[in-house]
Amino acid sequence: MQINEEQLKKFILDSGLVKPSQFEEAEEKAKKTKQKLGDILLSGGKISETDLKRMEAFVLGIPFISLTNQKIDFSVLSLIPEPIARNYNIVAYKKNEDTLEVAMLDVDDLPVIDFIKKRSGLKILPRLTDTSSIRFVLVQYRQSLEAEFQDIIQKESMSLNVSPSEDGKKPGEKSESELKEMAEDLPVVKIVDSLIFHAILQNASDIHIEPGEKELTVRYRIDGILHDAMVLDKNAGLGITARIKVLSNLKLDEKRLPQDGRFKIEQNGEKISFRVSTLPTFFGEKTVIRILKENAHGFSLETLGFHGEGLERIHNSLKQKTGMVLATGPTGSGKTTTLYTMLDILNRPEVNISTVEDPIEYQMPRVNQTQVKPEIGLTFANGLRSLLRQDPDIVMVGEIRDGETAGLGVNASLTGHLVLSTIHTNSASGAIPRLIDMGVEPFLITATVKTIIAQRLVRRLTPDKEKYFLSSAEIKNLEKIVDLGRVLGFLKEENIVGAKDTWDKIPFYKPVKSSEFEDGYSGRIGMHEVLKVTPTIKEMIIKGASQDDMEAQAKKEGMMTMIEDGVFQAVLGVTTLEEVFRVVSE
């Protein structure tokens, strides 16, 4: 069902929506860039997406359907799973006896039509729609499921068996057999399942289950920020914690000491791992569940937010056969994802890659991954020592925590291995004094460390964002925090702004709240600084120069600092200045 380009061109021109001069200009650009004319007109703002889709539908001879403000029955909507709907921009909206009408952005996507046909057992009637319709319908998945989960949780928590024990003990002092019985109680199972599925649906990274004096609070961390999800009766806490302990093989009757465990589930063909941590608090045990999507892949350094000179530096360091590449930043700043993305680039049949991690967050094909188990003596240092006997070419150490691991990593890179690792510091230059503090000799650092990446994660703006320009007073205030001259230089270098543009002509963006995205953000992206250990920096390390002096020299040699990269991303419309300053506090 290919669109006849010539017919579409004629139809666009005849419609009068695009001026002939604009049409010719777009046509010329389409030939040069080998893009579709419709895409050029759309990106240039010469035609609206709805008008273009209506014309495409007319040329194809199929109906165009707008679903904005249309409520769809959940039984019809759920015939296409939410991940499929979101990833392939296709939604079911009308079901007849033996047919299912689906609205989609690309009616040529035959494999997904075939998949839905097999899944539903119905004849599929494709209809063309626009992005705003798809977005409007995707919100309904969340709203319907949220309502369903809230109903389950409220109804089931009321039917929980939380009466005190017959021997007069408090509800919090149950025996192991009683706790096991509670964990297998149907309402408890339903509540825990609902909490987990609800978190996955909202793309949460963590679930916090926190006992208070009178209630049990459940919070989800979404895009790095905690949100209250629901408040339950305090008595529900005991059964929920017991159920989570059963799933993750933890001791049911141990409430005085912290415990760590894990479990896995499969949902819609996606494998998801959960890392569980329990901690005794004044009002009972607090439980935190970290959600890790195992087959999360398809990242590239560009999609993580790397660009320009920083991106070049990383690619050059990955071409080396030996040396160390370090990713730095606090917990939850995306260091591990950056390392995995680099491993993905390096993962070729001719190399042997071995890792030692805690925990193994993503499983990678053809990579030998070892899980640290300190309780049986398998520490980072011991694991690294053993895997160096396994003839690796590339080694990834999850984290350099102590002098022994740091020393072994340095020795591995000296003996012909490329070593990737993470280290906890606030900036790229801060990694060098940290290594020295761990007992690594400065001359060994200069011989091994090639590149140091520092990063933070900022929330991404949704496409519905509002453009604005800074006033002269705002520009002056911003100048006090960040060197705007340098940022403007980087923007011009990468052709983001025009050669003569000044800050008063460069737009920034504000979030626009919607029913789907409460605060106008969705997902996160990294802001980075990439420090290359050049001969001048090596001299400074040997001389014992301060962290600030090394950073100043790196800036002279073209390093974009993290806050400068944040302002750069804000100009691109990826995030906001407020979000950058929230994350990077100078």
Side-chain angles (χ1 to χ4, degrees), residues 141-371:
Y141 275 98
R142 184 169 294 175
Q143 288 169 343
S144 304
L145 282 164
E146 273 186 23
E148 196 180 301
F149 285 137
Q150 292 283 6
D151 284 351
I152 290 171
I153 287 163
Q154 296 305 335
K155 196 162 66 189
E156 300 300 344
S157 61
M158 286 167 79
S159 64
L160 283 172
N161 178 18
V162 289
S163 57
S165 309
E166 283 173 26
D167 56 3
K169 287 192 288 184
K170 292 177 193 171
E173 293 174 5
K174 303 240 177 219
S175 68
E176 188 176 1
S177 59
E178 285 175 310
L179 286 166
K180 194 157 192 192
E181 208 174 298
M182 281 183 84
E184 285 160 8
D185 195 17
L186 196 60
V188 171
V189 172
K190 278 189 180 175
I191 287 176
V192 172
D193 285 353
S194 298
L195 287 178
I196 288 168
F197 288 130
H198 196 177
I200 294 165
L201 179 77
Q202 294 206 36
N203 233 351
S205 60
D206 303 82
I207 305 169
H208 289 239
I209 300 162
E210 303 168 339
E213 188 177 1
K214 294 175 181 169
E215 57 200 17
L216 183 79
T217 308
V218 179
R219 301 197 286 169
Y220 292 152
R221 189 178 291 281
I222 302 164
D223 293 338
I225 291 175
L226 277 170
H227 300 266
D228 279 7
M230 58 202 71
V231 176
L232 301 173
D233 187 285
K234 185 178 192 252
N235 293 326
L238 209 58
I240 290 171
T241 304
R243 174 68 187 158
I244 293 165
K245 283 182 173 181
V246 165
L247 287 172
S248 44
N249 278 329
L250 299 179
K251 290 177 186 171
L252 281 173
D253 55 347
E254 179 55 86
K255 298 185 190 72
R256 298 167 306 158
L257 292 171
Q259 295 189 75
D260 294 303
R262 61 190 61 231
F263 63 96
K264 281 184 189 183
I265 65 163
E266 193 165 318
Q267 188 189 339
N268 294 326
E270 189 175 32
K271 285 182 183 171
I272 300 163
S273 285
F274 300 89
R275 211 163 79 214
V276 177
S277 167
T278 67
L279 182 76
T281 67
F282 188 73
F283 293 114
E285 280 183 286
K286 176 182 172 178
T287 307
V288 176
I289 304 171
R290 165 63 59 90
I291 302 168
L292 301 160
K293 292 180 181 174
E294 284 186 8
N295 36 6
H297 53 77
F299 290 118
S300 68
L301 291 171
E302 288 84 354
T303 57
L304 294 181
F306 289 98
H307 56 90
E309 177 69 20
L311 183 64
E312 280 301 306
R313 287 177 171 187
I314 294 171
H315 279 304
N316 288 337
S317 63
L318 296 181
K319 286 173 189 166
Q320 309 295 318
K321 297 284 182 229
T322 63
M324 286 181 93
V325 178
L326 297 174
T328 77
T331 305
S333 60
K335 302 185 297 292
T336 310
T337 303
T338 300
L339 286 193
Y340 276 113
T341 305
M342 292 195 278
L343 280 187
D344 204 30
I345 294 166
L346 294 165
N347 193 0
R348 298 184 306 276
E350 62 269 23
V351 292
N352 175 17
I353 302 176
S354 294
T355 76
V356 53
E357 306 170 55
D358 184 25
I360 295 170
E361 291 198 14
Y362 308 115
Q363 288 173 344
M364 295 190 79
R366 303 180 71 97
V367 174
N368 311 292
Q369 295 171 274
T370 304
Q371 168 71 51

Side-chain angles (χ1 to χ4, degrees), residues 95-116:
K95 180 179 177 284
N96 297 315
E97 211 170 293
D98 57 352
T99 61
L100 180 67
E101 290 186 42
V102 299
M104 55 201 303
L105 294 183
D106 178 12
V107 288
D108 282 338
D109 199 341
L110 300 177
V112 78
I113 293 172
D114 196 42
F115 167 80
I116 294 157

Side-chain angles (χ1 to χ4, degrees), residues 424-441:
H424 278 275
T425 63
N426 287 327
S427 64
S429 55
I432 291 159
R434 180 84 185 95
L435 286 170
I436 292 169
D437 186 46
M438 284 181 185
V440 181
E441 294 289 347

Side-chain angles (χ1 to χ4, degrees), residues 490-554:
F490 289 126
L491 287 163
K492 287 176 180 177
E493 209 176 289
E494 294 189 37
N495 297 320
I496 306 298
V497 298
K500 292 180 181 174
D501 279 359
T502 51
W503 281 109
D504 55 344
K505 292 186 177 69
I506 293 170
F508 286 87
Y509 298 85
K510 287 178 183 170
V512 173
K513 297 179 181 183
S514 66
S515 53
E516 188 179 2
F517 304 108
E518 286 170 23
D519 43 15
Y521 295 98
S522 172
R524 289 188 291 172
I525 193 165
M527 19 181 226
H528 309 88
E529 56 187 37
V530 183
L531 187 149
K532 184 182 177 188
V533 183
T534 58
T536 42
I537 302 264
K538 284 179 183 179
E539 269 179 50
M540 293 177 88
I541 295 170
I542 298 290
K543 286 175 183 168
S546 74
Q547 181 180 326
D548 291 344
D549 289 345
M550 280 189 265
E551 187 169 300
Q553 180 59 35

Side-chain angles (χ1 to χ4, degrees), residues 354-358 370-372 379-380 383-384 387 396-399:
S354 294
T355 76
V356 53
E357 306 170 55
D358 184 25
T370 304
Q371 168 71 51
V372 166
T379 59
F380 273 118
L384 179 54
L387 72 82
M396 193 260 260
V397 184
E399 189 187 327

